[in-house]
Amino acid sequence: MPFTLPPRIPSGPRRRSLLASAAGAALLAGCSDSPDSANTAGSPSAADRARARAARDSAALAARYAAAIAAHPALADLLRPLRTEVVRHTEAFGGSGQASASSSASDSASASVSASADGGGRASASAHPSASASPAVPADRKTALSDLAAAERALADRRTKALLELPGELARLMASIAAAGAAHAFLLTEGAK
């Protein structure tokens, strides 16, 4: 009788779970051939507010990525492509991706200057005035990646919950970007191992 090993159970979300959540988000968003109007699912002002909030959330997430890259240059190869996508998400929601990209360079420089001056393992934002909202980054690489994964996951969850209150086109965009955020969280979790 041959001895068989029990199957290894991988941690984290499974590929099927990610695909199912993306498909579920698409179903929640609904499909229509006509462009959104004020009569579909919400007032234009509510949609504008949701779009502006999503752009701000993506810009803040891009700043977290920039701070993590500055604090842990060894993680730049993993984080830079994900940050680029988050900047594109900001632009898709109508935010200024160019301003986010240019300010991140100065934020990164100031975070690395203050991180070396701080010595406590966390990047403080005292070296540059525009970096005052720059998030603190843990000294441990795994913790930094886990924090980014948690931020991506929380933002994806918040966006998924907001889908029902949005008009069709914006809901589809939000569902797509929420699915991308869930995938980013998975990649960051795997990168932390």
Side-chain angles (χ1 to χ4, degrees):
M1 175 180 270
F3 178 72
T4 59
L5 294 174
R8 188 185 86 117
I9 300 173
S11 63
R14 310 291 189 279
R15 224 177 296 163
R16 288 181 184 160
S17 324
L18 289 173
L19 291 174
S21 66
L27 287 174
L28 286 175
C31 297
S32 69
D33 291 334
S34 63
D36 295 332
S37 65
N39 297 334
T40 56
S43 68
S45 61
D48 291 342
R49 285 193 309 269
R51 187 179 291 272
R53 178 185 169 114
R56 281 192 313 270
D57 289 346
S58 291
L61 187 59
R64 287 186 74 151
Y65 273 103
I69 291 169
H72 301 288
L75 295 175
D77 289 341
L78 172 67
L79 299 180
R80 200 170 282 125
L82 298 177
R83 185 191 175 282
T84 301
E85 289 301 314
V86 172
V87 169
R88 287 185 187 146
H89 297 164
T90 304
E91 293 168 350
F93 285 123
S96 159
Q98 183 64 23
S100 171
S102 65
S103 70
S104 69
S106 62
D107 288 353
S108 297
S110 65
S112 63
V113 166
S114 60
S116 62
D118 184 15
R122 294 199 177 256
S124 66
S126 59
H128 193 276
S130 71
S132 60
S134 180
V137 179
D140 180 43
R141 290 179 186 166
K142 286 186 177 187
T143 306
L145 287 174
S146 296
D147 286 358
L148 277 173
E152 282 275 15
R153 201 173 297 112
L155 185 56
D157 290 346
R158 226 175 25 244
R159 286 177 172 165
T160 302
K161 289 177 185 173
L163 289 176
L164 295 176
E165 301 168 4
L166 299 175
E169 187 64 31
L170 181 56
R172 285 188 286 277
L173 175 64
M174 189 82 74
S176 173
I177 293 178
H184 288 184
F186 175 75
L187 292 172
L188 290 167
T189 302
E190 289 297 309
K193 291 182 180 179

